Amino acid sequence: MKLDEIKTIAVIGAGTMGHGIAELAALAGYKVKLRDINEEIAKKGYDQIKWSLNKLAEKGNFGLTPAKAEEVAQRITPLVDIKEAVKDADVVIEAAPEIMKLKLELYQELDKSAPKHTVLASNTSSLSITDLGKITKRAGQVVGMHFFNPPVKMALVEVIKGEKTSEETMNLIVELSKKLTRTPIRVEKDVRGFIVNRVLVGPFMFESAWIASRGDATIDQIDSRMKFYESFPMGPFELQDLTGIDIGYHLMKEAGVVIPPVIENTVKAGNLGRKTGKGFYTYKDGAGANYTREAGEKFDPIAIYALMVNEAAWLIEHKVSTADQIDLACQLGAGFPEGLLRRADRIGVDKILKSLDEHYAKYKEERYKATPLLRQMVEQGKTGEKAGAGFYGYEKTGKEYKALKVEIDKNSKIAWVILNRPARLNAINSDMRAELPRVFEELRFNDDVRVIVIRGEGGRAFSAGADITEFVGGKPHQFVELGEFFRAPELCTKPVIAAIDGFALGGGLELALACDFRVASKRSEVGQPEIFLGLIPGGGGTQRLTRLVGLSRAKELVMIGERVSAEKAYQYGLIDHMYENEKFEQEVKLFAEKLAAGPPIAIRLAKQIMNAGAESPLEAALLMEREAFGILFATEDMMEGVNSFLMKKKPEFKGR
Ligand code: COA
C-alpha cells in the first residue's frame, strides 16, 4: 500500500493516547474511526478531542481556526463495535492498555475483521511487536508505532520492526508518521522498551534510585544536579512523580529487574506520585517538587550517564538504531538538552567506561557490564570530542557544535548546516548565535563545499525564532549583536539555501531571509510573530522582508504577526520554490546540486554584485557588473564552459 492510498484510520482502545492519535490523524485529513469499549467512554473521548481541537484553534496551531476545528472533529466517528471500526480501515492504530493477554486477543479479532491490505500498528511502549504479529496471519503488516504523551505536542514516533514486519510496512508507517506531522525514528529490532524508555526508565530513573537507595546521594541532590546543572527538563524523581512511579515499577518488574528500595517502599506505601498527592515529593496546595539549586552542586552524575550511554551503545551494537537517531529520539521523546551520545563524547567515553568498570567491580551487577562497543571505542582511541572521534566523527569541521550539526557531502559539494535544537523547534539560543557565524567562516574556506543548505532538525520546524526563554534577564547589547548571526549567510561567498520544512518564525524566518534562496515544503508556515511579544523583528525582518515582498505586505506580516501558509508565502514571492512534503528532501538536494555544478567564481561574483548592486545606484551597479564580467574572462572555468559548449560536452568547473 502507498501513503496516498490510506484514506481511513481506525484508532482502537482510546484513552488519552488514542484520543491524541485520532486527533492527529483527523488533522492530517484522514477519516478516523475511534473505537472505545462503551458508548459513554467513546462519547467522552470525542468531547475531549473537540475540546483539544478548540484549544489548538485558539492558539492557531496546525493552522486551525474554530471553523476548521469543527470540520476536523467531523472526520472522527466514535463507536464501540470493533468490526464496524476496522471494516474499511487502511491502517489500524491500536492504543489498548498494555496487557499482553488482552492485546493478543485483540489482534486475533483485528486480523479477522480488518481487510487483507490493512496494516496493524501498535502504540505499545514495551510489548513485543513480533509476538503481536505471530498471533495474526499478517505478521508482515504488523508494526510498532509508539507515540509519546500527549501526541499532539510530542513530536516523536518510534516505528518498530517486528521480526516479520516487511520493509514496505516500515516505510509506510514512517511516511504516515511524517504526514501526521510527527518525527519518526526507525527502530530496526523489536527490543524491550525500544529506544527512549530503554534509556530513560532503567538508567535515568532506576540508577538514580539505586544511588539514593545506597545513600550515596539524596533524592533532591540528584534531581537538582540533573535539572539545574545538566539541563534536563526535570530530575529523575520528579519525572517519576509526574509519570506515575507505578508505571516504571511494573514495567521493570515484568522485565524481572530488581527494584531499588526507594522505589519499592514508595510504591508499597501507595505513594505513586502527583496523582496520589505524594510520591518522592509531597504535592499539596499547589506545592511541587521544590528542590534547590544548591542541593546538586557537589553530586557527580557520571554513574547515571554511564548506564544511559551503555544502553545506547548496546542499541548501536545490536543494530537497533544509530547514534544520530538515538540522540534525536532522546531529545524529542524525553526532552534531553542535547543528544545523549553527543554529551557522552563531551564527557569522554573513557570516563564512562571507567565508571562502569568500577561499579561492576564493586557490585557485580550485570547492568554495569560495559557493552563491547564501549571497550572497543576506548581501545581504538575513540574517546570523544577531545580525541577527534567518539560516537561522532569530529574531523569534518575540526570542531563540534552544541546547537548545530554540520554535514559535508564531498561528492556533491553540498554542506548541510542543521539547526539542531529539535526539542525547542530549533529556537535560536546564544549557542546557536555564537556558532553559526563560525561555521560559515569555516565553510567559506573549505574547497569541498560549493553550496550551503540550512535546515532544521526534527521534522517540525526550520526554526521557531529566537529562544524566548533567553529574553528574560537578557541584556540589550546581546540582542544588538544579533546582526552578525543574521548576516552570516548573506556575507558568505557561496550560495546559501534555506530549506524550510515546518515553521520558520521570527528569527527563523529572518535567517531564511538572509539566505540567497528560500525553498519550502507545502506544509510549512512562516511569519514574524514578534509583535505578540511587544517587539518587532530585530534580525533584518523589517528590511529584508520589505525588499522581498513590498512595503505593505511586509508591514502586514510584521504588524499583525499572523503566520502564513507556504502557499501564500510562495504567492508573495517570499518563498522561491514550494515542494510536495514527501519530495521535499529530494527536491532540495536537486536544487542544491544544480548550484554546486556551476562555476564557483562566477557564482560568487554574481552573488556579491547582485547583493551590493541592489542597494546601489544603477550606474555603480552596472560598473560592478562590467568589472566582474571582465575578471571572469581570466578564469579557467570560463574556458571550460566555452570549450564544453563547442565540444558539446558537460563542463566540469574547478573554481579556478
Ligand atoms: N523559544 C523558546 N522555546 C520555544 C520557541 C521559542 N521561540 N518556540 C517553541 N519553543 C518550545 C516550546 O516552548 C515547547 O517547549 P516545551 O515542550 O518545553 O513546552 C517546544 O518548543 C515545542 O513547541 P510547542 O509550542 O509545544 O509546539 P506547538 O506545535 O504547540 O506550537 C509554535 C508551535 C511554533 C506555533 C509555537 O511554539 C510558538 O508560537 N513558538 C514561538 C514562536 C515565536 O513567537 N517566535 C518569535 C520569537 S521572537
Side-chain angles (χ1 to χ4, degrees):
M1 189 176 19
K2 300 232 165 57
L3 183 67
D4 53 16
E5 287 164 4
I6 302 177
K7 305 282 180 247
T8 304
I9 295 180
V11 180
I12 305 293
T16 51
M17 266 301 211
H19 299 154
I21 297 168
E23 196 174 344
L24 281 174
L27 280 163
Y30 293 110
K31 242 169 91 183
V32 181
K33 302 281 180 66
L34 178 65
R35 189 263 174 180
D36 222 318
I37 45 172
N38 66 42
E39 297 278 349
E40 195 191 333
I41 298 181
K43 159 105 184 37
K44 255 196 193 156
Y46 185 65
D47 289 345
Q48 177 64 31
I49 294 176
K50 276 178 114 173
W51 177 86
S52 168
L53 285 168
N54 284 329
K55 278 271 152 221
L56 292 177
E58 265 173 32
K59 281 173 65 183
N61 288 355
F62 291 90
L64 274 187
T65 57
K68 273 196 197 159
E70 187 52 45
E71 217 176 275
V72 173
Q74 278 175 11
R75 286 191 202 121
I76 304 174
T77 314
L79 39 73
V80 175
D81 184 345
I82 194 158
K83 286 196 176 66
E84 185 61 30
V86 302
K87 75 170 201 270
D88 51 4
D90 303 301
V91 174
V92 173
I93 305 177
E94 165 272 311
E98 292 283 80
I99 303 163
M100 195 56 174
K101 189 170 164 299
L102 192 146
K103 288 214 193 212
L104 288 174
E105 283 166 16
L106 182 62
Y107 273 72
Q108 276 177 313
E109 173 69 52
L110 293 175
D111 194 29
K112 260 192 255 148
S113 308
K116 283 232 150 25
H117 73 279
T118 306
V119 166
L120 307 180
S122 176
N123 177 51
T124 180
S125 61
S126 62
L127 300 177
S128 163
I129 302 301
T130 304
D131 290 348
L132 294 178
K134 269 188 198 154
I135 202 94
T136 71
K137 294 195 178 71
R138 61 176 93 194
Q141 289 157 238
V142 176
V143 64
M145 192 180 192
H146 180 217
F147 290 82
F148 288 72
N149 214 357
V152 283
K153 195 153 162 55
M154 300 291 283
L156 183 66
V157 175
E158 290 177 322
V159 181
I160 306 121
K161 191 170 183 166
E163 265 169 34
K164 293 269 165 62
T165 311
S166 72
E167 205 40 39
E168 189 192 342
T169 303
M170 282 296 282
N171 290 338
L172 182 75
I173 297 302
V174 163
E175 287 310 314
L176 177 63
S177 307
K178 286 190 197 162
K179 179 96 194 238
L180 302 188
T181 66
R182 304 298 87 181
T183 305
I185 297 278
R186 286 178 63 112
V187 184
E188 302 294 348
K189 282 185 190 159
D190 185 9
V191 294
R192 183 180 280 276
F194 315 131
I195 297 177
V196 177
N197 282 341
R198 225 181 148 92
V199 170
L200 204 65
V201 182
F204 186 67
M205 295 179 178
F206 271 50
E207 194 51 26
S208 303
W210 276 114
I211 294 170
S213 299
R214 288 187 201 122
D216 293 343
T218 60
I219 285 174
D220 62 336
Q221 280 171 339
I222 299 170
D223 270 1
S224 165
R225 179 81 216 179
M226 298 319 279
K227 180 171 171 174
F228 296 118
Y229 300 82
E230 307 297 315
S231 306
F232 285 79
M234 61 188 83
F237 296 97
E238 185 185 359
L239 178 61
Q240 288 181 79
D241 272 359
L242 187 72
T243 54
I245 306 175
D246 50 325
I247 306 284
Y249 174 85
H250 289 304
L251 207 80
M252 294 312 246
K253 202 129 201 158
E254 214 179 288
V257 171
V258 183
I259 309 290
V262 291
I263 294 185
E264 188 81 63
N265 297 339
T266 316
V267 171
K268 280 207 173 123
N271 299 327
L272 306 181
R274 271 179 187 272
K275 60 186 174 188
T276 58
K278 194 165 186 230
F280 296 111
Y281 301 91
T282 303
Y283 301 88
K284 222 171 103 190
D285 304 329
N290 54 349
Y291 42 90
T292 64
R293 190 184 173 84
E294 291 70 44
E297 204 179 338
K298 299 221 167 66
F299 171 66
D300 180 358
I302 184 77
I304 302 174
Y305 279 122
L307 281 219
M308 289 200 283
V309 173
N310 200 30
E311 198 64 62
W314 186 93
L315 290 168
I316 297 174
E317 201 170 68
H318 290 82
K319 301 204 170 3
V320 178
S321 189
T322 57
D324 230 30
Q325 295 281 286
I326 292 171
D327 275 2
L328 184 57
C330 289
Q331 283 176 280
L332 293 182
F336 280 26
E338 66 178 328
L340 171 64
L341 297 173
R342 259 184 206 281
R343 184 157 286 188
D345 277 353
R346 237 184 277 288
I347 294 171
V349 182
D350 46 344
K351 283 196 191 139
I352 301 275
L353 181 64
K354 186 163 168 269
S355 167
L356 287 167
D357 285 347
E358 282 172 2
H359 278 74
Y360 188 69
K362 198 164 167 190
Y363 300 108
K364 297 277 177 296
E365 306 257 8
E366 273 301 297
R367 68 179 184 281
Y368 297 122
K369 238 187 191 168
T371 195
L373 177 65
L374 286 181
R375 211 168 288 288
Q376 188 191 333
M377 284 174 75
V378 173
E379 275 163 18
Q380 292 173 349
K382 292 184 175 170
T383 53
E385 198 174 305
K386 276 201 194 124
F391 285 101
Y392 295 90
Y394 296 88
E395 66 281 358
K396 288 182 199 158
T397 59
K399 291 190 190 79
E400 254 327 300
Y401 302 98
K402 281 189 182 159
L404 299 173
K405 275 198 285 188
V406 181
E407 290 170 2
I408 296 170
D409 180 349
K410 290 186 186 176
N411 287 331
S412 63
K413 296 197 179 299
I414 301 170
W416 299 83
V417 175
I418 303 157
L419 309 177
N420 188 25
R421 299 187 70 223
R424 285 271 169 279
L425 300 183
N426 306 316
I428 301 161
N429 67 347
S430 53
D431 287 332
M432 202 184 281
R433 288 205 300 272
E435 289 170 359
L436 191 101
R438 241 172 58 210
V439 168
F440 270 84
E441 198 54 26
E442 281 168 22
L443 293 178
R444 180 176 165 185
F445 295 108
N446 187 332
D447 289 338
D448 287 327
V449 175
R450 288 190 182 174
V451 179
I452 300 163
V453 184
I454 309 182
R455 70 169 177 86
E457 183 60 290
R460 292 198 60 215
F462 176 76
S463 165
D467 189 320
I468 299 172
T469 59
E470 291 188 353
F471 284 12
V472 183
K475 303 272 179 309
H477 72 268
Q478 291 170 315
F479 301 108
V480 175
E481 282 161 13
L482 276 173
E484 205 195 326
F485 172 82
F486 289 106
R487 293 217 71 194
E490 200 166 62
L491 293 178
C492 177
T493 49
K494 298 174 181 177
V496 185
I497 303 168
I500 302 169
D501 187 18
F503 296 112
L505 303 175
L509 180 57
E510 290 175 291
L511 179 63
L513 289 171
C515 296
D516 300 296
F517 308 97
R518 282 150 300 282
V519 299
S521 63
K522 230 174 180 172
R523 67 167 163 227
S524 300
E525 288 180 32
V526 306
Q528 297 288 171
E530 290 87 346
I531 204 79
F532 297 121
L533 303 171
L535 288 167
I536 59 167
T542 58
Q543 303 309 309
R544 290 194 185 96
L545 202 54
T546 306
R547 283 158 176 74
L548 212 54
V549 303
L551 191 55
S552 55
R553 265 192 185 141
K555 279 182 184 160
E556 185 178 328
L557 285 164
V558 168
M559 293 182 189
I560 297 183
E562 278 172 3
R563 302 200 291 271
V564 298
S565 64
E567 210 141 4
K568 203 167 215 180
Y570 178 65
Q571 286 163 12
Y572 283 2
L574 174 48
I575 283 167
D576 305 300
H577 295 285
M578 185 175 64
Y579 302 128
E580 292 298 330
N581 300 331
E582 300 79 43
K583 297 206 176 123
F584 182 67
E585 272 176 50
Q586 192 189 334
E587 295 283 359
V588 171
K589 195 152 179 275
L590 279 176
F591 185 54
E593 279 169 357
K594 279 188 207 164
L595 284 164
I601 305 172
I603 288 182
R604 185 185 79 208
L605 287 174
K607 172 168 178 169
Q608 288 175 321
I609 63 160
M610 288 171 89
N611 278 351
E615 301 301 322
S616 314
L618 182 63
E619 207 40 57
L622 289 173
L623 180 64
M624 278 192 276
E625 183 190 75
R626 284 200 299 276
E627 291 296 319
F629 190 69
I631 288 170
L632 289 170
F633 267 85
T635 63
E636 284 177 30
D637 280 351
M638 180 262 182
M639 290 308 292
E640 169 72 12
V642 172
N643 281 338
S644 299
F645 176 79
L646 296 174
M647 292 165 72
K648 301 195 187 316
K649 71 173 181 70
K650 202 166 161 248
E652 274 187 38
F653 296 115
K654 302 260 166 37
R656 290 198 287 254

